Each structure stands twice: as structure tokens, then as C-alpha cells.
Amino acid sequence: MSKLAPTDTFLRRHLGPSQTELTAMLEAVGYDSLDALADAAVPEQIRMDGELSLGGARGEHEFLAEFKRLAERNEVWRSYIGLGYHGTIVPGVIQRNILENPGWYTQYTPYQAEIAQGRLEALLNFQTMVSDLTGLPIANASLLDEGTAAAEAMTMCHSVNRKSKSNAIFVSDLCHPQTIAVVQTRAKPLGLEVIVGDADKFSFDTDVFAVLVQYPATDGSIRDYGEFSKQAHEHNALVIAASDLLALVRLKSPASWGADVVVGNSQRFGVPMGYGGPHAGFFATQDAYKRQIPGRIIGVSKDRHGNPALRMALQTREQHIRREKATSNICTAQVLLAIMAGMYAAYHGPDGLRDIANRTHACAATLACGLEKIGFKIGEHPYFDTLVVKVADKQRKEILDRCAERKINLRTDVDGLLGIAVDEATTAGDLDDLLWCFGADFGSHEVETEGSWNEALLRDDAILDHSCFHSYHAEHEMLRYIHRLQAKDLSLTTSMIPLGSCTMKLNATSEMVPVTWPELGLLHPFAPTAQAQGYTEMLDRLTGWLAEITGFATCSLQPNAGSQGEYTGMLVIRAYHESRGEGDRNVCLIPTSAHGTNPASAVLTGMKVVAVKCDDEGNIDVEDLRAKAAQHKDALAAIMVTYPSTHGVFESAIRDICGIVHEHGGQVYLDGANLNAQVGLCRPGDYGADVCHINLHKTFCIPHGGGGPGMGPIGVAAHLAPFLPGHPLVETGGQVIGDGKHAIGPVSAAPFGSSSILPISYTFIGLLGAQGLKATTQVAILSANYMAKRLENDFPVLYRGPNGLCAHEFILDTRHYEKDAGIKVEDIAKRLMDYGFHAPTVSFPVPGTMMIEPTESESKEELDRFCDAMLAIHAEIGEIAAGRMDAENNPLKNAPHTAREMAGAEWNHPYSREQACYPNEATRAHKFWPSVARIDNVAGDRNLICTCVGMEEYAEE
């Protein structure tokens, strides 16, 4: 190594174990090097020759400086394009203490509610905000974006509308074009017909199961849909409204004029545009559909002591359980962004939001009057923040040339019209520049406006009357509120989160820094690509890197979640078969061990799921696969296989599995959930896969954010590249090989999904280079095998691969403890909280077991601390089994124990407070306290409360 090589290389910061610790861990599992261990774990027939072509490691300072220069190639013009994306002002207290705070962005999905009460409260606030503004009684904890939320509304309405036998939905042509396109993409494989047209002219003589309208419309007009909704209901059609939360602060709620479902994007509530995302989509509906609403719902229940407690309601609806019976494959949310939007509403409160809405409308009204003063014609309908201006062809060029001179973007996709959408960040100076662009020789201060609101369209009901929207308007109070909630949540700032299949590794500060650079955060997703050259180069590089890592020809970055990557991959396979005249291929083989989103995604693409057995070792039963492939050879479309398997095993027969499917005319979809066991060691494209999704929020370090955001790009072989998703407003450029004629429709509202978090993975890969990435994989495999070795004598390891090794994760069998001591896997999970840990993945893929994944980022000390906790819990189970500890009143059955219980006057347990709350030395050095005791999930599902009725009122009940 050169004496001038940088000293701030990233690998030593990313890897948890020191070299001394690595040596000790290797000795414990019986290998003398990481290479030897990897060679023993990974089947020889799929191992890579050589290394990835990604270059060497980089210093953090040098790389970030170069990346900054690349980002500065983006030109941040003032964008008044609208189309559902608007400028917003992110309150500094929210940016610094939530968006940039690892105590918030490194939390996991709140499946273990006792250690997630802060985030759950913030999400309940978001749900309440959405419910209040839409006028509907129930809302979920966010969806991925407005386009996919509208598509989810369509499929839900088709499922729940028992009165209509129709397979057609009417979509107003005044909906945003990207929303229409995503709905069309989703409808096609389900056999649903999308009728796009003028709502004023639509005749309900055409039978439809639902209608979709935009409120305000994409052209800014505010329409009264009362009569239209009445007609829809009279003809047994449900009404979906895509809407805007800031407009709803002042406008009548969609529910008041008949909407059954309201969807939209909460981006303008304090979340930067970020070239398209991530943003929290919202979804609200009638109470009758609460058990069919897609995504997650936060509800109120009670804990073991009868205190109010929050949790994810109706968890049995999660797709891991419903599988091929699912009507949605949603497996995630946009939690971090929903929290930001909810906090924005709490910080400003109803009065502050009204001020922002009124000022935004005043900017539009001032501009409208100024334009009319110089002879331009504005649309006839009332508006909120968006104007359409009629212009002649000659005027159009002159105006746009002037806009370019002042670095202003307008909406230009409709002939004869220019669109202008103002926002919270618009200033009087901006209005002066806009008027100048249209030829005015006066400024905004010379324009008089009056009567710009149509009073008949304004709401007169109270909004946001819960105390959380009235208590934190001072920054001091908001700061304390944010930190009070954060203190109730376990994140990676507290301890390891050893979740199998979820990969909670380091989200390094250097990776997170670019996320809030204005050059990346302030771009509108539909800004001209000439203004996004920095993004374009970064996206092209990242696409090339991911293709090299996976062994594929190219990638699409559009899917904005892992489940959406699955869905997109299956759509691409379907389109490929159709292009060959084999559109009747519709059978998808799926192993019984698969993630539940696999069969859900297959069904949503019109596939028929056929299950393939697994053998006693957790491997795919090759003979059963061979038989099923032969049985369905004329209809076989694909297999969906996870590799390494969901059981944490490198299956030696993977090449044979791919070969069998190809032999019978099918394609191989590989679920990339476990790609972090392969990077630098083997590549899906090399051993037979045709398409693979890549969980950037797992393998490539985008934080889980408490349950989102995520990204799920797909890599494809060359023959599938022409079918990658396109977009109606932005060319996806280098993301598609070929002429683009075969591209499927968009699967996300923005052309490159959640673009503003892609810099995290870009930085991770760029810093590590080929050798660094390989080392992370090898250490992840070592860490898993080291932990399995330490625990195997007391907790049997359920499945092992070649040479008795696991991959990057392993499953502990805890089922026998229920027979021996009456202890269930849930009791162990809750007891781990007393030791300061989040539980591993519980009862998936095998009921009654724990799946553990340590990742490469945890030190040997942290791995040992977790193993010590598990062994101590095993000893407690032994005491129960031997009769020396009460079978019901014991530390496991009563876990977790709270500070409130420990400090209480009464202690009704036959074990000490110290054993309950400080069971080992590690907890005495640092204690994380669950804020509530064990939660009664059943009570919460039976008495579903999903908005803030007031915790005090609930407690009194």
C-alpha cells in the first residue's frame, strides 16, 4: 500500500469485529481465514472467478468531496411544475432531530410494539392528521407514493365492492398523468379495464366498480364532485379521490361530497421533493373497509397492567400470512417520512397550516390577477395553488426563454397551456420573476386580489383538534416531544437488532450526509433532465455497479420497495412471454419456505401459484420441482426462489433448479432479500437467474427508518432488459436497453423511485470497492456461524448447509420449550427486551422459531452480549422446567418489565426486581427501558381504535 493512501478508508469503520476478534471468531468455527470459511459455505459450482469490477476502496473525505462536485452538476431551478410535487420548508427542528437522527432512522418496523411506542405514537398522529383532513374515519400508516396508493385503492375497491360485477374503473383525465399510468400498469395483469375520460361527460350507463378523480385536479381546478359521487353510488360504484393535504386544510373534505377512499402524497408537509422521493403516500377510507385497507394500521390496545399502549393492528393481514390469498403485496411503508409529515402538522397546528394554505393560495391569486391584467386567460374553475395559462405558440417560446433566463421551470406537457404551481416556499420576489417571464412590467406588490376563494368550496368543520396538534408549536416543546418519543424506541443506537431476513447493518454517517444536500433534495422529479446531470451520472453509475454485483445486463431503479421489486420483476417476465406469443404462461412455482410477498406479488401479476415442497433440511425438493415443472410445462411462467434460502442455507442444487425451470420454458425470479450473503462471492446472473430484486435498504445500507423508506431495484438478463418500466413524463434513459417500445408501464409515481436515498447505497459501494464489499459478505457469514456455534448446544440450529454451515442467518428451534416449560417463542422475544435487545425474527419462516442475522457491522463484544442474554434466558427456562420457578408467574411470562412496575409499591412476583430488570452486568451498565408492559394484541384487534381519540379518554374507558 502506498504511503500516501488515505487513512480514512471505510471498511474498518463498517466492520464491527477487529482483526483480533475476527481471528478468535474464525478459530471458534474451525477455519483459519475468511476465504476458507466462504469457500466452505458457498457451493463450489456457483462461486465467482476473480473479483468484481468495481475498483478499489476510497477515503471518506475524498469520496464525499468528489460526490459533492457531482451533485453540484445538478441545477436547482425554481420548479413550479406541480403534478403532486411542491416546494416545502422543512422545519429545522424536524430535519435535525428526525431526518438526520439515527435514533429515528435506524429503528426497525414496529413488530415488537413494547419497544416502539414513540414511533407508533408519531404514526398514530399521522393517521389522525390524514383522517381529519380527508374526513374519513380510518387511515393507514402510509403507503409508498400517490400513484401506487391510487392503484391500491383500485384493487381494494374491486375486492370489497360486492354490489358491482364490473371489472372496469373510470379514471378522470384530470388525474396526474403518472397516477393514471401506474393505475393502468396495475390493472392490466388483473384483467381490469381502465376507462380514462372527462368526468363531466362520463355516463354511468357504462358499468364500473369504482371511479377515480383528482381534487384539486392536475390542472389546479377545484371541482364539486358531489353530484358525480351521488351518481356513482347510485350505480354501485365506489368513489376514490386523489387529493392534496395542504389544499384540504381549507377545502371541503372529500368525504363530505361522497368519497369512499382518499389517497395522495404528504410530501408538501415538510419533506423535500428529492427528485421523486421518498415521500409518504396516504390512504384513508370508510370504517367498513378497515380490514381490507392495504398497508399497516396503528391501533390502540392495552398492556398487561391495563395501561393504554399502541401497536400495529391487524398484523395477521400482513402478506407473510395471507400469501397467495393477498389482495396487496405491501410489506413496508414510508414510516420516517410519515413521521416527518405528522410532526410538521403538529409543529404548525391547524392555525399555522391555515396560514400556510392561505398564503399559498394568495400567491396563486396574486399571480392570476397579474396575468389577467396583461391579457392572459386563466382556467375558468376555482383553484388553490395551480394555474393553467393559455398561450399561443409564439408566446410560449418567448415565455419559456425568459423562464430559462431566471432559472424557472413551468409545467409544459400540455399543448397550448403552461402550468404554474406555487407553494409554501414561494416568495414575493418569485412572483415578480414569474410575472416578468410573462411580460409584465410591474411587480406582485402592484397586483390587487379580492374574492379569490369560492366560499361554497371551503370547509367549515374543525380540523386537527387533538391535543398533539396544539401542544408543540414552540421549538423547545417540539424538540422535547421528539426526544421523548425517541427515548421510547429501541434503535441501532441502543443495541444490535438481530433480525433474520432484514439485515440491520450500520447506516454510516458518511453515507447519510448527501441525503440532505440541497443539490439532491430540492430537484423536482419532472425537471428537465438537462438540469439533473449529477443525478443522471450517479444513477447510471449505481445501475452499472448493481448490474456488476448481480451479474445482470442492467437494472431498473424505479421500484421503491422490495415488494415492488418483486412485482416489477414478475411483470417483466410476463411481458417477455407475451412478446413471444406465450401470454398464456401463467403458472408461478414458489417454494413453501418463500417470503409471503412472493406469492402475493405473483398473484397481483395475474399468475397462478403452485407450491413446491421443501425437504427436511430446508432445501427445495428438486424432485417435486421437476414433477411440478413437467406437469405445468405448457403454462410455466416462472419460479420465485430466495437464495440463500429463507432457511439461511446455500442450496447446492440452485443451478439444477434454474436449469429445470428453463428447460420447461419458464424464467427464474430470484428474491434478493439475502443478497448480502452473496456480494463478491457469487452472482445470481451467473448461476441461472433471469431477474432479481435488490433490497437497497438491506444489503446496501439504506436505513429501515422505522419501517420505511426502502428501495427495491431489479437487475435483469439482457433478454428482459427491453421490458423494464418506463414513465409517461421522463425518459428513463440508460435504465432501459433497447428502443423502449416493449417497456412495461411505470410501477412508481417517480421515474427512479425514491431517488434522494440512492446516494446512500452509491456512497456505500463507492467507498468499499470490490474487495471491501467481498469482506463485508464474508464477515456477515462468519458472524452468523460464530453465533450459531455459541448457541447450538442450548438452542438447536434448525437448518445447515454444506459442511454444517449456515449462510448469513440461521434459525434457532425453540418449539420444544413450550412442551418442557410452557414457554413460547414470544416469551423469549419479550424477555430479550429486559436484556436490552430487540428480538430476532419470530416464527418466520418456521412457526415457533427465531431467525437471527447479526450482520458484519456488529463487534464480537456485541455478538457475545446477545449470545450471553440468550444463554441466560435458556437457564431461566431450565429453572421453570425443573419446577424451581413458577410456571406462570416468571420473568419470561411477565416480560418485558417496565421502570414503572419496578418502582411501584407492590411487587407480586416470586422473583426479585433485580432479576426482572437488571438480569446481567450489561444491563446494569446501560439499561433500555420498555415504556409499556406486554401488549394485548387480541384486545386491540377486537376494539380497533386507529386515530387519536385521546389517550386520556381511552385510559378512562
Side-chain angles (χ1 to χ4, degrees):
M1 180 182 292
S2 166
K3 292 181 179 179
L4 301 181
T7 58
D8 64 338
T9 50
F10 181 62
L11 182 63
R12 67 188 180 92
R13 305 180 192 279
H14 180 75
L15 296 182
S18 66
Q19 189 56 53
T20 301
E21 290 176 329
L22 288 175
T23 301
M25 291 162 67
L26 282 164
E27 183 178 344
V29 299
Y31 292 88
D32 58 8
S33 70
L34 288 172
D35 286 338
L37 173 63
D39 286 347
V42 181
E44 181 179 4
Q45 59 268 38
I46 67 168
R47 285 185 225 143
M48 280 182 60
D49 293 326
E51 66 176 35
L52 297 168
S53 298
L54 296 174
R58 305 283 301 281
E60 292 182 58
H61 176 76
E62 174 193 26
F63 184 87
L64 285 177
E66 180 186 292
F67 191 4
K68 182 70 170 176
R69 289 191 292 272
L70 179 64
E72 287 171 348
R73 292 182 57 195
N74 293 328
E75 297 181 45
V76 183
W77 289 24
R78 288 171 287 177
S79 287
Y80 304 104
I81 298 170
L83 286 164
Y85 299 92
H86 301 268
T88 186
I89 298 171
V90 186
V93 66
I94 293 175
Q95 175 166 320
R96 175 66 62 87
N97 296 288
I98 294 180
L99 179 60
E100 298 175 350
N101 181 355
W104 282 95
Y105 63 68
T106 67
Q107 301 159 350
Y108 181 58
T109 305
Y111 289 117
Q112 297 293 339
E114 294 84 356
I115 49 177
Q117 288 296 294
R119 178 174 9 137
L120 289 166
E121 181 174 330
L123 288 174
L124 190 67
N125 293 346
F126 174 82
Q127 288 179 183
T128 302
M129 171 190 78
V130 171
S131 180
D132 273 9
L133 293 176
T134 62
L136 289 165
I138 190 164
N140 68 16
S142 76
L143 291 177
L144 300 174
D145 59 32
E146 182 169 333
T148 54
E152 293 288 347
M154 172 186 68
T155 53
M156 188 195 81
C157 287
H158 186 250
S159 174
V160 303
N161 191 348
R162 309 297 184 203
K163 295 180 180 179
S164 174
K165 301 300 182 185
S166 173
N167 283 329
I169 179 173
F170 171 78
V171 177
S172 167
D173 56 10
L174 291 178
C175 291
H176 295 316
Q178 72 273 18
T179 299
I180 297 173
V182 172
V183 168
Q184 290 171 325
T185 301
R186 188 74 66 89
K188 181 180 176 182
L190 297 176
L192 302 179
E193 179 187 2
V194 179
I195 303 168
V196 181
D198 186 339
D200 291 336
K201 298 177 182 177
F202 180 70
S203 169
F204 282 95
D205 292 340
T206 302
D207 191 17
V208 294
F209 67 84
V211 297
L212 170 62
V213 295
Q214 190 92 36
Y215 175 75
T218 191
D219 64 358
S221 61
I222 303 170
R223 311 294 179 105
D224 184 347
Y225 291 111
E227 182 59 32
F228 183 75
S229 295
K230 180 181 177 184
Q231 289 184 48
H233 291 146
E234 288 174 351
H235 289 82
N236 299 322
L238 297 176
V239 178
I240 307 165
S243 196
D244 176 285
L245 290 181
L246 189 61
L248 294 184
V249 170
R250 292 305 322 272
L251 298 181
K252 283 185 175 178
S253 72
S256 70
W257 47 254
D260 301 290
V261 184
V262 182
V263 299
N265 182 355
S266 62
Q267 175 265 316
R268 70 189 310 175
F269 271 32
V271 180
M273 287 186 285
Y275 205 46
H279 311 127
F282 63 84
F283 190 113
T285 190
Q286 303 286 359
D287 187 70
Y289 309 133
K290 63 190 175 190
R291 296 180 188 274
Q292 287 81 31
I293 188 172
R296 295 169 176 158
I297 307 173
I298 309 309
V300 183
S301 186
K302 58 185 179 181
D303 73 1
R304 182 167 58 87
H305 305 299
N307 299 312
L310 306 175
R311 28 88 67 185
M312 280 205 318
L314 305 175
Q315 286 190 39
T316 55
R317 304 169 323 114
E318 287 280 301
Q319 309 316 318
H320 287 291
I321 296 173
R322 295 190 65 181
R323 301 178 68 83
E324 64 271 16
K325 295 179 181 178
T327 56
S328 166
N329 72 339
I330 291 296
C331 180
T332 188
Q334 298 281 30
V335 169
L336 188 70
L337 299 315
I339 288 170
M340 288 180 66
M343 288 294 187
Y344 177 93
Y347 192 43
H348 289 295
D351 292 338
L353 291 176
R354 284 190 197 95
D355 289 343
I356 293 169
N358 287 337
R359 184 187 176 280
T360 300
H361 175 71
C363 287
T366 300
L367 187 60
C369 291
L371 292 173
E372 288 174 337
K373 185 176 177 180
I374 55 176
F376 286 97
K377 187 173 181 182
I378 309 299
E380 329 176 320
H381 293 273
Y383 53 83
F384 168 57
D385 61 1
T386 299
L387 309 174
V388 288
V389 187
K390 293 184 179 180
V391 293
D393 289 344
K394 182 180 179 181
Q395 285 178 307
R396 183 186 183 91
K397 183 179 185 309
E398 292 174 354
I399 293 166
L400 293 178
D401 285 347
R402 286 187 145 211
C403 284
E405 190 176 334
R406 293 287 170 97
K407 294 191 173 182
I408 286 173
N409 291 320
L410 305 181
R411 181 176 176 182
T412 61
D413 61 305
V414 181
D415 290 341
L417 298 174
L418 291 175
I420 312 171
V422 296
D423 52 55
E424 174 190 13
T426 302
T427 66
D430 295 330
L431 297 179
D432 292 344
D433 286 345
L434 284 164
L435 287 168
W436 178 85
C437 291
F438 280 83
D441 59 1
F442 52 84
S444 60
H445 62 284
E446 298 172 69
V447 177
E448 294 184 8
T449 62
E450 57 181 67
S452 53
W453 283 115
N454 182 331
E455 296 296 327
L457 297 174
L458 299 185
R459 69 190 309 155
D460 55 10
D461 55 325
I463 59 168
L464 307 180
D465 57 359
H466 187 265
S467 61
C468 71
F469 301 110
H470 294 265
S471 303
Y472 310 111
H473 302 161
E475 182 169 333
H476 229 155
E477 291 303 320
M478 174 55 69
L479 176 69
R480 289 167 179 161
Y481 183 54
I482 289 171
H483 280 269
R484 279 201 303 275
L485 296 189
Q486 179 188 329
K488 297 180 180 181
D489 277 30
L490 189 146
S491 69
L492 284 176
T493 64
T494 306
S495 62
M496 72 182 294
I497 302 178
L499 290 149
S501 196
C502 287
T503 317
M504 298 292 289
K505 61 174 71 176
L506 171 71
N507 309 125
T509 306
S510 58
E511 296 157 11
M512 300 303 296
V513 164
V515 170
T516 50
W517 285 346
E519 297 90 345
L520 300 177
L522 298 183
L523 256 67
H524 192 288
F526 307 143
T529 53
Q531 296 169 24
Q533 291 304 297
Y535 256 119
T536 299
E537 186 169 338
M538 183 200 74
L539 298 176
D540 285 346
R541 283 185 194 172
L542 181 59
T543 296
W545 290 348
L546 293 175
E548 169 66 13
I549 288 167
T550 56
F552 289 115
T554 189
C555 297
S556 168
L557 299 174
Q558 192 174 119
N560 55 1
S563 59
Q564 301 306 292
E566 293 175 13
Y567 174 74
T568 306
M570 295 306 292
L571 280 184
V572 166
I573 288 173
R574 179 188 172 101
Y576 167 74
H577 287 311
E578 289 175 344
S579 75
R580 293 159 51 87
E582 296 183 339
D584 54 348
R585 288 189 174 273
N586 68 343
V587 169
C588 183
L589 304 177
I590 300 183
T592 55
S593 63
H595 290 88
T597 50
N598 285 182
S601 295
V603 168
L604 288 178
T605 57
M607 301 283 183
K608 176 185 176 184
V609 172
V610 173
V612 177
K613 297 176 184 176
C614 290
D615 62 24
D616 292 340
E617 301 302 316
N619 301 306
I620 293 173
D621 185 325
V622 176
E623 292 311 309
D624 187 55
L625 170 65
R626 198 184 306 275
K628 297 281 175 58
Q631 178 186 349
H632 298 285
K633 65 180 186 298
D634 295 331
L636 181 60
I639 186 172
M640 298 184 81
V641 57
T642 301
Y643 197 78
S645 75
T646 312
H647 293 140
V649 173
F650 280 103
E651 300 187 48
S652 300
I654 186 63
R655 280 190 180 272
D656 294 336
I657 290 166
C658 295
I660 291 167
V661 173
H662 287 147
E663 177 188 344
H664 292 89
Q667 296 284 287
V668 176
Y669 172 90
L670 190 131
D671 185 314
N674 296 335
L675 190 65
N676 39 297
Q678 301 184 71
V679 176
L681 302 180
C682 55
R683 305 194 304 176
D686 292 344
Y687 55 74
D690 300 291
V691 56
C692 167
H693 89 262
I694 306 162
N695 283 326
L696 298 186
H697 50 290
K698 296 182 181 181
T699 307
F700 298 103
C701 289
I702 292 175
H704 280 63
M711 276 291 278
I714 60 170
V716 294
H719 64 283
L720 296 181
F723 305 96
L724 290 174
H727 195 277
L729 295 172
V730 176
E731 290 186 13
T732 49
Q735 308 303 309
V736 176
I737 293 175
D739 57 15
K741 293 179 181 178
H742 298 291
I744 63 171
V747 295
S748 299
F752 307 109
S754 296
S755 305
S756 69
I757 56 174
L758 292 174
I760 300 168
S761 299
Y762 175 80
T763 303
F764 174 70
I765 297 171
L767 285 174
L768 286 174
Q771 292 183 354
L773 287 170
K774 179 180 178 181
T776 66
T777 307
Q778 291 176 322
V779 174
I781 292 172
L782 171 60
S783 295
N785 281 282
Y786 172 73
M787 291 183 74
K789 191 72 174 177
R790 278 213 62 193
L791 295 172
E792 64 185 2
N793 290 333
D794 293 318
F795 294 92
V797 177
L798 199 54
Y799 301 111
R800 295 182 188 270
N803 301 307
L805 296 169
C806 63
H808 62 304
E809 62 189 3
F810 59 98
I811 297 175
L812 296 181
D813 193 352
T814 62
R815 292 172 292 188
H816 55 289
Y817 295 125
E818 185 169 5
K819 179 181 178 182
D820 296 345
I823 294 300
K824 298 181 179 180
V825 68
E826 181 186 27
D827 299 321
I828 300 173
K830 302 306 180 187
R831 182 58 172 154
L832 275 168
M833 297 176 191
D834 289 330
Y835 285 83
F837 286 104
H838 194 291
T841 300
V842 172
S843 290
F844 175 79
V846 181
T849 66
M850 284 186 155
M851 182 160 60
I852 297 175
E853 180 181 353
T855 85
E856 69 273 13
S857 296
E858 300 298 345
S859 66
K860 179 177 179 292
E861 180 182 7
E862 184 72 356
L863 303 183
D864 284 334
R865 194 169 73 87
F866 180 83
C867 290
D868 291 343
M870 288 293 291
L871 296 175
I873 291 171
H874 177 268
E876 293 174 344
I877 296 172
E879 291 291 295
I880 298 168
R884 291 189 291 272
M885 193 176 286
D886 189 274
E888 292 300 327
N889 193 356
N890 60 63
L892 280 88
K893 288 292 185 185
N894 293 325
H897 299 81
T898 64
R900 182 176 179 178
E901 181 180 12
M902 183 183 180
E906 295 183 1
W907 182 260
N908 299 316
H909 306 306
Y911 52 90
S912 70
R913 298 175 197 246
E914 182 179 36
Q915 183 176 0
C917 301
Y918 293 101
N920 62 7
E921 283 298 322
T923 54
R924 287 187 274 277
H926 172 72
K927 176 68 179 176
F928 176 83
W929 289 99
S931 56
V932 297
R934 192 177 306 195
I935 295 172
D936 188 335
N937 290 330
V938 175
D941 283 346
R942 287 177 179 169
N943 305 284
L944 199 59
I945 301 172
C946 298
T947 56
C948 298
V949 296
M951 297 297 282
E952 300 82 4
E953 293 90 329
Y954 181 81
E956 289 171 5
E957 291 177 9

